[in-house]
Each structure stands twice: as structure tokens, then as C-alpha cells.
Amino acid sequence: MIRSLLKLVLVVIVLVGVGAFLVGRWTTNAKVVPDSPVGASGPVDTSKARDVGAKIGEATAKTANQAEDAIKHAAVTAKIKSKMVLDDLVKARNIHVETNGTVVTLTGVVDSEAERKRAVELAKETEGVTSVIDHLRVR
């Protein structure tokens, strides 16, 4: 989950960097003539510019929504893992927590049925969780 979030952030940074490079490249190719009026060298297709701007805006919004979802999932996962670390019965390092929307999946190996039940209980009582899929195995 954290890896996915980092990959998403890296992709956004790369896209912003490429966009900044291209904007800088487009603006530095213009020849500046002192004391001359500013204007276009030909007709400007404003509808095409609006379409390109709309596509860029849609892509940015989509990426922002994906990042927001990833952060929400990571926050729920972190809350559950924190509860497990603080619990005396549950050995959190043996349990993998994966969050997808409001559904949490627990996998790993636990020492007892009581530990399994407590881990599931901690996940279920976490805010933002509607269901828990229990794939924990008892040794």
C-alpha cells in the first residue's frame, strides 16, 4: 500500500516536471524583438487550446483522486496496525493488513485462536472499516 502511494507520488512529480520542462521549452523558443508589439505569428485555435487544457485538468483531477484514495487506505491500515502494536495479545509483525476502500483483509500466522479473534475485532472496530476478510492462520 505504501509502495503504491509512493509510486503514485513519484508519477505525479515526474508528470509535473515534464510539464514544466515543456512549458519552459515552448516559452523560450519565442523570439523577443525589443519595442515590438506582442502578438501571435498566426491564427490561434482557442478551441484546441481549451480541449488540451480540459484534458490536462481531467488527468490532474484523476491523479489527485487516486492519491487521496491511497492516503485514505494507508491511514486506515496505519490505524489498525497501531491498535495491534498497542494490544498485548496481538503480535502485529506477524499480521499483514491490506485496505481496499472500506474492506480490510488480514493475512498472516497467529499463535492462538484468541489472537486471531482479537486482531479481527481490532480491525472491525476501526473507523472507516465496514467489513474484515479474515485470512489469518493459527499455528
Side-chain angles (χ1 to χ4, degrees):
M1 181 52 60
I2 299 294
R3 289 184 197 159
S4 299
L5 177 62
L6 291 175
K7 286 179 185 178
L8 180 63
V9 170
L10 183 61
V11 168
V12 170
I13 290 170
V14 169
L15 289 175
V16 169
V18 169
F21 171 78
L22 292 175
V23 168
R25 186 147 173 98
W26 289 329
T27 58
T28 57
N29 284 342
K31 295 180 182 178
V32 178
V33 179
D35 299 326
S36 65
V38 176
S41 61
V44 176
D45 186 0
T46 56
S47 64
K48 183 176 179 182
R50 284 188 188 113
D51 290 341
V52 170
K55 288 179 183 176
I56 291 171
E58 288 174 16
T60 303
K62 182 179 177 184
T63 303
N65 288 336
Q66 289 174 342
E68 183 180 356
D69 289 344
I71 290 169
K72 285 179 185 176
H73 295 169
V76 171
T77 300
K79 286 178 189 177
I80 294 169
K81 287 296 275 188
S82 296
K83 286 181 177 184
M84 290 180 181
V85 167
L86 295 173
D87 194 89
D88 293 333
L89 181 61
V90 178
K91 294 180 182 172
R93 68 178 174 265
N94 296 335
I95 300 173
H96 175 72
V97 180
E98 185 175 326
T99 306
N100 188 6
T102 60
V103 178
V104 173
T105 303
L106 303 177
T107 56
V109 179
V110 294
D111 292 333
S112 67
E113 184 64 24
E115 182 181 1
R116 185 192 67 75
K117 286 181 181 179
R118 181 65 181 148
V120 171
E121 180 183 326
L122 289 171
K124 283 183 178 179
E125 67 185 23
T126 303
E127 184 181 343
V129 176
T130 58
S131 66
V132 176
I133 300 171
D134 178 11
H135 290 297
L136 295 171
R137 293 178 290 135
V138 179
R139 289 182 208 227

